Amino acid sequence: HMFNHIKKDSHMSTKNYLLEKFGPLLSLKEVAQVLKRSPNGIRVCGYRSTPIGQKLKDAQIKIGRRIYFSAEKIAELIDQSN
């Protein structure tokens, strides 16, 4: 499946993997890396009214002018897609 490359250790949850590798917040570039998409592809997907687009939007956390993504919500998106 498209997200099978993410788990490096079969005993580690997706959430724990992302938290260990990136911390609680991921940048757009990091989300793109994890999902094997371009940052622009992630940005465009977030504007579409699709289930994945909505989940990306729900995962966004704005700090000042910067947008980050919750590692926990990105892990949920990955786990629900597998």
Side-chain angles (χ1 to χ4, degrees):
H1 201 274
M2 87 186 238
F3 298 122
N4 286 345
H5 66 283
I6 290 172
K7 289 191 188 176
K8 304 290 184 208
D9 176 353
S10 61
H11 300 295
M12 187 181 285
S13 70
T14 307
K15 176 183 160 186
N16 287 340
Y17 172 75
L18 292 179
L19 286 171
E20 190 176 290
K21 186 164 171 78
F22 300 104
L25 299 177
L26 285 81
S27 68
L28 177 67
K29 188 176 179 182
E30 290 167 337
V31 171
Q33 177 189 344
V34 168
L35 301 181
K36 289 193 169 180
R37 299 283 178 266
S38 70
N40 213 36
I42 298 297
R43 196 177 290 117
V44 168
C45 189
Y47 291 116
R48 294 204 173 126
S49 56
T50 62
I52 288 184
Q54 188 57 53
K55 286 177 184 164
L56 281 171
K57 213 175 281 184
D58 292 345
Q60 289 182 0
I61 297 167
K62 197 168 185 185
I63 299 175
R65 290 172 37 200
R66 295 180 185 263
I67 293 177
Y68 294 95
F69 296 83
S70 158
E72 190 170 342
K73 294 212 174 164
I74 295 299
E76 286 172 18
L77 184 152
I78 292 165
D79 289 341
Q80 290 169 2
S81 297
N82 269 341

